[in-house]
Amino acid sequence: MYRLLFSLFLSKMDPENAHHLAFRVIRALPTLGFGRVVEQFTKPDPSLAVEALGRSFPSPFGVAAGFDKDGFGVRGLGNLGFGHVEVGTITAVAQPGNERPRLFRLVGDRALVNRMGFNNGGADAAVGRLSRLARRRHRPVLGVNIGKSRVTAVEDAVGDYERSTRVLAPYADYLVVNVSSPNTPGLRGLQELDALAPLLETVRAAAGQTPLLVKIAPDLVDDEIARICELATRLGLDGIIATNTTISREGLRASAAEVERIGAGGLSGAPLAARSLEVLRLVRAHVSDAMCVISVGGVETADDVQERLDAGANLVQGYSAFIYRGPLWGRQVNRGLARIRRERAAEASVTV
């Protein structure tokens, strides 16, 4: 039914307008009293529960940052079966983001291109909302992703991140430093070690006991990724998220004219899958088993998610496929993961 709805209606809408429409429904689930009813149909099998970052996740599969920028839909997304929701990116200063249009579908590639530009209401506005969420016992694990405010010069980025950290870290189950979005001028330069080390040191101190992760780009060369892994280990970070969107346009089915028409922005979805998996394996090879690695980029099915778990991910996130799979996507993945585990257990018992 969702495929028909997408084909006949949603795909004809501006992608950002379609997202807002769907998000209003998700946000309304718990407030209208439907959330718990829906959850009985979507909740993960207990066998999928995983421990990571000092928290218990009901499923290893969650929603990546970017879908819920300000934390309005966390409970509704939990009702749909997602084990964790990473909100953001949130900046210290509220900002409208880039001019529209800024979100584009590549339907034939099952991909998205976005140049949203960290549109959000700012850290101070998010505090009340996130603090109320943090006090709720029945909710998915809450991650908070922070980035640099556009009005802040790159050379002043450390103070900008520190301010967001002090405001938001007390209400996050884990905190993510985003230095890898291609849509904020100068941001990716903060992945260079000379800039990244003092930034992460400062945020680490400001975060207190909140687990801290850094999110990296897929466009880094392998040696750069290895050095960031070494830095994260040296600084005692709790994890790495691999990866953000890519600026590459290689291997797309879309015509060159369509790609040129869309223009700049981060590409996400199926075309990112191969590189995201490569980066995951590289990261896992350079960090200890104790460090949490979250894989994101191009996952759509339960088999995709299980492949990332087999490659060493502790948790897996998705976003773009939500647009193509619809509101039961989390349920589909969770049911598929439970099936895979049952099949593997049955095979193991036969072998024994």
Side-chain angles (χ1 to χ4, degrees):
M1 184 176 291
Y2 179 79
R3 289 182 183 179
L4 183 63
L5 177 65
F6 179 81
S7 176
L8 296 180
F9 179 59
L10 294 176
S11 65
K12 305 297 190 298
M13 294 181 64
D14 171 83
E16 190 169 349
N17 289 341
H19 173 81
H20 290 319
L21 175 62
F23 191 77
R24 280 196 290 271
V25 176
I26 293 169
R27 182 179 173 181
L29 284 176
T31 58
L32 295 179
F34 298 134
R36 291 296 184 94
V37 176
V38 171
E39 194 171 317
Q40 294 305 308
F41 181 65
T42 62
K43 64 182 179 181
D45 188 279
S47 67
L48 298 182
V50 60
E51 298 292 322
L53 299 171
R55 304 293 191 274
S56 180
F57 292 71
S59 165
F61 187 55
V63 181
F67 192 90
D68 183 358
K69 294 183 179 296
D70 289 288
F72 285 106
V74 173
R75 293 172 60 205
L77 289 166
N79 294 149
L80 292 177
F82 295 98
H84 68 281
V85 178
E86 188 173 309
V87 303
T89 296
I90 299 176
T91 54
V93 180
Q95 54 190 46
N98 295 320
E99 292 185 3
R100 297 179 64 170
R102 55 192 180 180
L103 181 63
F104 308 87
R105 304 183 195 92
L106 292 174
V107 178
D109 290 287
R110 299 187 76 78
L112 298 174
V113 173
N114 93 83
R115 50 173 177 268
M116 304 298 288
F118 290 170
N119 53 307
N120 74 104
D124 291 337
V127 168
R129 193 177 313 118
L130 297 185
S131 66
R132 289 190 294 273
L133 274 171
R135 292 194 296 268
R136 284 188 172 273
R137 301 182 70 178
H138 188 78
R139 61 169 176 82
V141 176
L142 176 64
V144 177
N145 184 300
I146 60 172
K148 185 187 76 67
S149 307
R150 182 178 288 267
V151 297
T152 300
V154 173
E155 55 268 27
D156 298 323
V158 171
D160 189 79
Y161 279 92
E162 182 181 20
R163 179 186 168 196
S164 294
T165 300
R166 294 194 183 280
V167 170
L168 299 174
Y171 310 110
D173 291 319
Y174 69 88
L175 189 75
V176 181
V177 173
N178 185 352
V179 288
S180 50
S181 169
N183 300 317
T184 296
L187 187 74
R188 284 193 169 191
L190 294 174
Q191 293 177 114
E192 297 176 7
L193 292 191
D194 288 346
L196 187 59
L199 170 60
L200 293 179
E201 286 174 343
T202 300
V203 173
R204 170 75 282 173
Q209 298 301 309
T210 303
L212 180 65
L213 300 86
V214 62
K215 187 169 186 176
I216 62 174
D219 306 306
L220 295 169
V221 300
D222 290 358
D223 285 347
E224 291 174 321
I225 293 170
R227 289 196 293 271
I228 290 176
C229 290
E230 292 165 4
L231 175 65
T233 299
R234 177 168 61 82
L235 296 180
L237 264 62
D238 299 280
I240 294 174
I241 300 183
T243 62
N244 212 316
T245 58
T246 180
I247 58 175
S248 172
R249 299 294 187 266
E250 293 184 8
L252 294 178
R253 296 179 181 177
S255 67
E258 184 178 8
V259 172
E260 183 177 359
R261 176 187 62 80
I262 290 173
L267 175 73
S268 61
L272 183 55
R275 179 55 181 166
S276 179
L277 182 57
E278 287 178 359
V279 175
L280 164 63
R281 288 174 171 152
L282 183 63
V283 168
R284 182 44 83 194
H286 283 86
V287 301
S288 72
D289 292 343
M291 183 174 286
C292 179
V293 180
I294 302 178
S295 182
V296 55
V299 297
E300 183 166 340
T301 67
D303 289 325
D304 296 334
V305 174
Q306 188 62 55
E307 183 179 32
R308 303 301 173 93
L309 296 172
D310 291 341
N314 301 90
L315 302 166
V316 181
Q317 296 177 341
Y319 173 178
S320 300
F322 204 126
I323 284 76
Y324 299 107
R325 288 275 178 169
L328 295 183
W329 182 38
R331 175 182 182 270
Q332 294 164 3
V333 168
N334 286 327
R335 286 201 162 194
L337 289 174
R339 172 187 52 78
I340 291 169
R341 296 189 180 188
R342 287 194 301 270
E343 291 173 351
R344 289 186 176 184
E347 291 173 0
S349 66
V350 170
T351 302
V352 171

